[in-house]
Amino acid sequence: MVYFTPDQLRLMMDKPNNIRNLSVIASLDHGKSCLIDQLLAAAGIILRELTNIRYTNTRCDKEDRTPYIRPSSWLLHFEVPEALIERAFLINLIDSSSHFDSSCQLATSLRISDGALVIIDVIEGALTHSIDLLRQSLAEGITPILTLNKLDRAFLELQIDGEQLYQTCFDIIDQVNNNIDMYSGLDAVEKTFLSVKKGNVAFSSGLQGWGFTLSKFARIYAIKFGVDEAKMIDRLWGNSYYDSANKRWTSNPISASGEHLPRGFCKFILEPISQICNACMQNDMEKLDKYLAVLGITLTSQDRDLQPKYLLKCVMQKWLPISDTILSMIVHHIPSPNHAQYHRVQNLYTGPMDDDTAKSIRMCDPEGPLVMYISKMVPSSYRDRLLAFGRVFSGTIFAGQKVRILSSKYEFGKMKDVVIKNIPGLGMPMGRSVESVESVPAGNICAVFAMDSHVVATTTLTSEEHSHPLVSIKTSVHPIMEVSVEIKHPADLPRLIEGLRRLCKVDPSVQSRTDDTGMQMLCGVGEHHLRASISELESLVNVPFIASDPFVRFKETVISESSHVCMTKSPNKHNRIYVTAVPFADGLADAIESGIINHSDDPKVRGQLLSEKYDWDLLETKRIWSFGPSNNGPNLCVDVTHGVCYMNEIRDSVCAAFQWTTLEGALTGENMRGIRFNIHDVVLHSDAIHRGGGQIIPTARRAFYAAQIASETRLMEPIYLVEMLCRGNDVKTIINIINTRRGQVIEQIQKPERSIVIVKAHLPVVESMGFCDQVRAETLGHVFPQCVFDHWNIMAGNPWQEGGTQFRIASEIRKRKGMSPELPILSNYE
């Protein structure tokens, strides 16, 4: 049964010092779901006997290891035994996605959290994806804590030596701390480093339900040795060795007699755990009873009849319950909302730091002006409506309250992108259900009912006109795959379009569009992500539809400057435009896509950066007309003319043509990337009626296309960074698979102490279809590749050379889009 009621939770919401908001983050298959099951069992939400059912996996596709779209959030009531005052704590636990295709979902979870529980498999170590997750949490300015999971494998499966296990744990913690030092946005004084001695690092086995921090054993041995607990903690970690013969501690690993001394952590922590594991697995009850008598643990007759594996689980849960360890670490090392917001307000609020709203956010004041940030939209069963899931940073939100809904595009002081509505209802998220509540004060997470027609992710709800919106979530998600979605019955088309609209609200990394043929297209960040999105779409529309096989999106670029200045004439022959195309310098396209350089930057600051880092002329940096496509893409239109009349009059028309051109390139109709178009000269009619948009837009578009083709156009393909942990005898098989798919192995890291090899490779996304299934099949399920988008790469060859890879891909894309089968030539546009 649940050990708390909704009324108890609501009372706890009024005590911000006793609230903890955190996300649980981990790489795929690092034991996150099992560990969360143990915490839910401790709260009475599920039975102890059901702790391995992965209760948070609310979707069948998530159980199949595909990325899921619905993150889970739980409210837990926890009492700290050692606390003297205010023992009860309210923990908002957010289960974020583990899949490498779901970084956007993680970003939404981190925005409303104050801390992150980072779970790392002690055997596999900190993988590239684990470090990426950690960097995302550091970018949000939240406090991490760490648990090294799957410790049972080290004792039972691999039987790693105690010293090797210590060194492995030490190396993982050191690697994580290096990333905290490098990527944390806080000052050096404010950075929270992970330390076993400080207690923000735990060791655990989520599957068996046991775990510990150093303080657990320090209390026991402090009494035995008659020393202070803090001093005992120093001896149980680090270069501290115990000389049993002389019964003393030393920093020298070699005794006076020349013997190797055991490290304190190995001798007093790992060795007792290993002895109990061996006694249970060998079913040696005599030896086990001896150990349990020292620990003060009693087994029932039913416990003694368990099989060795379940006997070990029972004993370890009685001795080192993981729920007490993790929840205590959360309470003591994750900041409360009022403490966290004091430091995070400068990164969250877009307004001045001295206005009333900023002061209220800083103090987490429930009496201040309302500020609530909607981080995600979650499907519900109530009349096909979406729940707006977010956090109250200031004030108190009430059911029926009138609020101002500020979109991510809202500009302070304007009435555009703002809607005023009443709050229909509020709820407390409880994973698979939502409990209704009348009000929610600052520092808490809640759901808003029936406002999905006006509210989307990254929306800010406020009660005062002088309040500015909060900073929108920035993610580096690249939709590189898409499928076409076709309805079976034409009458159901409106329902499909509405379902796609709602899907884009639920998952911001999904994009939906209608192509030139009227087909509905669904774009995602990977094959698994699209599979999960289609599954989600089925539940949203409840009508039959057909989804095509996924295909990869390419980009168009140029590799040299135009061979000549391209000139085009307007339809009325009275206007001429002269354009050239130039490829970007290395790194400039990445800087634009990551937001380092964008159209809203201060022209002086942007110009200085372009001049110093990318060798631009300082005068030309001030004459950038547009970024494209969508006004923020990695292409630029620059005016390099001198003394030409009427340029300001045609600027909007030229920019409109530029947006259209960069959205659909001349070669395949794909987006352009990394191209700078220079407008060298224009000849315009003196009468304004002859140089309107109808004359300039098509002329400029043809000029841009001509400049592109004259600059040696090439296709760019997306490249995955693939990381795989494998046994030594599987390396050759994996390399052969990668080589047959145009991939390239870039690194092999030997881990002899764990008998594994980490293989890293670059793999073209177009060649990744079925790659994971093939690897798992040929390695008998021992290897599971992790594929993360890494970069765009210019394909080798010439697209106009028949028989080449680029020619074949370009022809396939043009055929799929219904374009002419012949590739364009320069004379088509000049």
Side-chain angles (χ1 to χ4, degrees):
M1 62 174 290
V2 179
Y3 302 147
F4 50 84
T5 65
D7 291 338
Q8 286 179 292
L9 296 180
R10 179 59 189 88
L11 289 175
M12 289 300 302
M13 286 183 174
D14 293 323
K15 302 176 181 179
N17 285 322
N18 288 49
I19 297 173
R20 301 292 184 269
N21 300 311
L22 84 154
S23 295
V24 185
I25 60 177
S27 288
L28 193 65
D29 206 29
H30 276 209
K32 174 172 64 68
S33 295
C34 290
L35 193 147
I36 292 178
D37 280 354
Q38 298 292 339
L39 302 184
L40 298 182
I45 295 176
I46 62 176
L47 298 175
R48 286 284 183 186
E49 294 77 10
L50 301 177
T51 51
N52 291 334
I53 64 171
R54 294 181 174 88
Y55 186 71
T56 58
N57 297 8
T58 56
R59 295 171 51 91
C60 61
D61 54 353
K62 185 180 173 186
E63 294 169 2
D64 293 337
R65 289 293 190 269
T66 56
Y68 61 101
I69 295 179
R70 300 179 186 174
S72 303
S73 178
W74 307 86
L75 286 176
L76 306 181
H77 187 275
F78 176 63
E79 294 190 358
V80 182
E82 61 268 25
L84 300 178
I85 303 174
E86 294 290 351
R87 295 174 54 185
F89 286 83
L90 179 66
I91 298 176
N92 289 294
L93 192 70
I94 304 172
D95 175 21
S96 56
S97 176
S98 298
H99 207 280
F100 34 81
D101 279 350
S102 302
S103 61
C104 189
Q105 294 296 334
L106 174 65
T108 61
S109 301
L110 295 174
R111 171 52 59 90
I112 58 178
S113 303
D114 297 320
L117 172 60
V118 183
I119 302 174
I120 294 180
D121 187 335
V122 73
I123 305 301
E124 296 186 358
L127 303 179
T128 301
H129 186 234
S130 301
I131 298 302
D132 288 342
L133 298 177
L134 177 65
R135 290 174 184 175
Q136 278 191 264
S137 65
L138 295 174
E140 282 291 335
I142 65 178
T143 303
I145 57 176
L146 173 68
T147 180
L148 300 178
N149 200 32
K150 296 193 176 182
L151 213 61
D152 56 302
R153 289 187 63 196
F155 291 110
L156 303 179
E157 179 184 337
L158 302 177
Q159 297 183 350
I160 300 176
D161 175 72
E163 182 63 24
Q164 285 187 357
L165 184 56
Y166 170 85
Q167 291 297 338
T168 299
C169 296
F170 183 88
D171 291 344
I172 294 174
I173 297 170
D174 187 57
Q175 182 181 359
V176 172
N177 278 330
N178 288 338
N179 280 274
I180 292 175
D181 186 39
M182 188 179 304
Y183 296 102
S184 178
L186 300 175
D187 296 333
V189 179
E190 299 176 346
K191 291 179 182 177
T192 303
F193 292 99
L194 300 174
S195 170
V196 177
K197 294 182 179 181
K198 286 167 54 177
N200 55 7
V201 177
F203 305 86
S204 63
S205 168
L207 182 66
Q208 293 190 344
W210 57 269
F212 63 90
T213 56
L214 214 60
S215 59
K216 171 74 175 181
F217 287 90
R219 294 191 200 100
I220 299 173
Y221 291 117
I223 298 173
K224 178 179 179 180
F225 288 98
V227 298
D228 184 66
E229 181 179 327
K231 189 174 182 179
M232 198 67 219
I233 288 177
D234 289 334
R235 290 175 174 176
L236 289 178
W237 185 262
N239 296 323
S240 185
Y241 305 87
Y242 186 68
D243 187 347
S244 301
N246 299 315
K247 297 187 181 300
R248 66 185 184 88
W249 293 87
T250 176
S251 59
N252 192 344
I254 307 297
S255 68
S257 60
E259 296 182 358
H260 287 276
L261 299 179
R263 193 182 298 269
F265 182 75
C266 303
K267 173 70 175 178
F268 295 102
I269 296 180
L270 297 184
E271 187 176 309
I273 295 175
S274 178
Q275 290 173 346
I276 289 182
C277 288
N278 293 334
C280 291
M281 298 307 294
Q282 296 169 8
N283 209 16
D284 188 343
M285 297 304 299
E286 181 179 350
K287 186 178 291 186
L288 181 62
D289 288 339
K290 180 181 176 182
Y291 294 147
L292 297 184
V294 175
L295 298 175
I297 297 174
T298 304
L299 296 178
T300 64
S301 58
Q302 186 178 1
D303 294 337
R304 303 177 72 88
D305 293 336
L306 293 172
Q307 295 293 324
K309 179 180 177 180
Y310 297 102
L311 175 63
L312 174 61
K313 181 178 179 180
C314 176
V315 171
M316 295 301 290
Q317 286 186 356
K318 289 177 180 288
W319 181 28
L320 303 170
I322 190 173
S323 57
D324 291 350
T325 299
I326 299 299
L327 292 174
S328 293
M329 187 166 63
I330 290 171
V331 166
H332 290 107
H333 296 282
I334 297 296
S336 61
N338 49 4
H339 178 76
Q341 290 181 197
Y342 185 86
H343 299 282
R344 294 184 65 195
V345 62
Q346 58 187 357
N347 297 325
L348 292 174
Y349 189 55
T350 59
M353 291 296 107
D354 57 351
D355 71 1
D356 293 340
T357 303
K359 293 177 181 178
S360 181
I361 294 175
R362 184 179 291 109
M363 304 306 296
C364 193
D365 185 7
E367 303 297 329
L370 171 67
V371 177
M372 179 179 180
Y373 187 81
I374 304 298
S375 67
K376 67 189 76 173
M377 306 297 291
V378 181
S380 70
S381 58
Y382 178 72
R383 297 182 181 178
D384 295 332
R385 303 300 295 268
L386 302 178
L387 296 178
F389 184 74
R391 170 171 167 174
V392 182
F393 284 93
S394 170
T396 301
I397 188 169
F398 298 90
Q401 181 180 8
K402 182 177 291 187
V403 297
R404 305 175 77 244
I405 304 172
L406 312 180
S407 75
S408 58
K409 300 178 182 179
Y410 171 76
E411 296 183 18
F412 182 74
K414 298 182 180 179
M415 289 305 296
K416 187 180 179 181
D417 300 313
V418 58
V419 179
I420 300 176
K421 293 291 179 181
N422 292 331
I423 299 293
L426 301 171
M428 296 183 295
M430 294 297 297
R432 299 186 179 184
S433 62
V434 177
E435 297 287 344
S436 296
V437 65
E438 289 298 318
S439 63
V440 177
N444 290 279
I445 294 171
C446 68
V448 180
F449 298 141
M451 291 194 70
D452 51 300
S453 57
H454 305 285
V455 173
V456 296
T458 71
T459 295
T460 304
L461 307 184
T462 67
S463 59
E464 304 295 334
E465 290 188 9
H466 61 75
S467 296
H468 292 250
L470 299 184
V471 177
S472 297
I473 296 173
K474 294 181 180 180
T475 58
S476 56
V477 174
H478 300 267
I480 54 178
M481 282 191 184
E482 61 183 357
V483 295
S484 61
V485 182
E486 184 178 1
I487 204 72
K488 286 187 176 181
H489 306 293
D492 294 329
L493 181 59
R495 192 170 180 86
L496 174 65
I497 295 175
E498 176 62 20
L500 289 170
R501 185 189 68 83
R502 295 174 62 205
L503 177 64
C504 293
K505 283 190 173 185
V506 171
D507 186 1
S509 60
V510 172
Q511 294 180 4
S512 173
R513 65 182 180 88
T514 304
D515 68 2
D516 295 337
T517 64
M519 186 73 70
Q520 301 298 319
M521 309 300 294
L522 187 64
C523 308
V525 297
E527 183 181 6
H528 293 287
H529 182 241
L530 279 176
R531 190 185 307 167
S533 299
I534 292 171
S535 176
E536 183 73 28
L537 182 61
E538 289 175 350
S539 64
L540 289 174
V541 299
N542 292 320
V543 295
F545 63 86
I546 302 172
S548 69
D549 292 332
F551 43 85
V552 179
R553 301 179 70 176
F554 290 80
K555 301 279 189 182
E556 298 182 23
T557 191
V558 298
I559 60 173
S560 66
E561 188 173 355
S562 300
S563 57
H564 62 279
V565 178
C566 300
M567 184 273 291
T568 55
K569 296 180 181 180
S570 61
N572 62 10
K573 310 299 182 183
H574 294 318
N575 306 284
R576 298 181 183 183
I577 299 179
Y578 298 81
V579 178
T580 60
V582 182
F584 273 5
D586 292 341
L588 178 54
D590 293 330
I592 295 175
E593 289 176 332
S594 61
I596 298 175
I597 298 174
N598 60 68
H599 69 284
S600 60
D601 289 339
D602 184 289
K604 291 184 178 179
V605 176
R606 182 177 62 202
Q608 195 70 22
L609 179 60
L610 288 172
S611 176
E612 294 176 356
K613 194 170 183 179
Y614 302 104
D615 200 26
W616 276 51
D617 182 89
L618 195 58
L619 179 62
E620 291 179 356
T621 64
K622 301 176 182 179
R623 304 181 70 181
I624 296 175
W625 272 13
S626 181
F627 289 68
S630 303
N631 292 312
N632 59 4
N635 303 282
L636 294 173
C637 179
V638 184
D639 172 20
V640 296
T641 62
H642 298 283
V644 178
C645 299
Y646 312 122
M647 288 298 290
N648 286 334
E649 294 185 22
I650 68 166
R651 177 170 178 169
D652 289 344
S653 298
V654 172
C655 289
F658 172 75
Q659 296 296 329
W660 188 4
T661 304
T662 53
L663 183 65
E664 299 176 358
L667 183 60
T668 59
E670 297 283 359
N671 293 172
M672 293 184 184
R673 185 179 189 271
I675 305 178
R676 167 181 166 175
F677 290 101
N678 293 325
I679 304 174
H680 289 270
D681 194 10
V682 295
V683 177
L684 302 173
H685 196 280
S686 58
D687 192 348
I689 198 172
H690 293 297
R691 56 174 189 266
Q695 299 294 327
I696 299 301
I697 292 177
T699 307
R701 184 170 180 248
R702 285 189 291 110
F704 291 138
Y705 279 154
Q708 177 194 357
I709 295 176
S711 304
E712 296 189 70
T713 301
R714 295 291 185 269
L715 284 178
M716 301 186 79
E717 62 178 345
I719 303 294
Y720 275 145
L721 173 63
V722 184
E723 185 172 15
M724 293 167 283
L725 272 78
C726 57
R727 302 170 302 179
N729 54 356
D730 288 329
V731 174
K732 186 176 180 180
T733 302
I734 289 172
I735 293 177
N736 289 336
I737 295 174
I738 292 173
N739 290 337
T740 57
R741 292 173 175 264
R742 293 197 295 120
Q744 181 181 6
V745 177
I746 58 175
E747 188 176 12
Q748 295 185 48
I749 304 174
Q750 300 285 339
K751 297 286 185 179
E753 70 277 5
R754 288 175 274 173
S755 302
I756 60 174
V757 179
I758 300 176
V759 178
K760 294 183 180 181
H762 283 151
L763 181 70
V765 175
V766 72
E767 302 287 349
S768 68
M769 305 298 181
F771 171 72
C772 295
D773 295 335
Q774 182 183 1
V775 169
R776 296 177 73 179
E778 297 195 17
T779 60
L780 303 179
H782 292 129
V783 180
F784 188 86
Q786 296 197 18
C787 306
V788 182
F789 173 78
D790 189 69
H791 65 279
W792 290 94
N793 184 55
I794 299 176
M795 299 184 68
N798 190 326
W800 280 270
Q801 182 180 353
E802 295 189 16
T805 303
Q806 282 207 56
F807 178 83
R808 175 179 56 82
I809 292 176
S811 299
E812 290 175 355
I813 296 175
R814 292 180 69 88
K815 181 179 178 181
R816 188 181 74 237
K817 294 186 175 184
M819 303 170 70
S820 171
E822 291 81 18
L823 297 185
I825 57 177
L826 188 58
S827 59
N828 292 351
Y829 304 107
E830 278 193 316

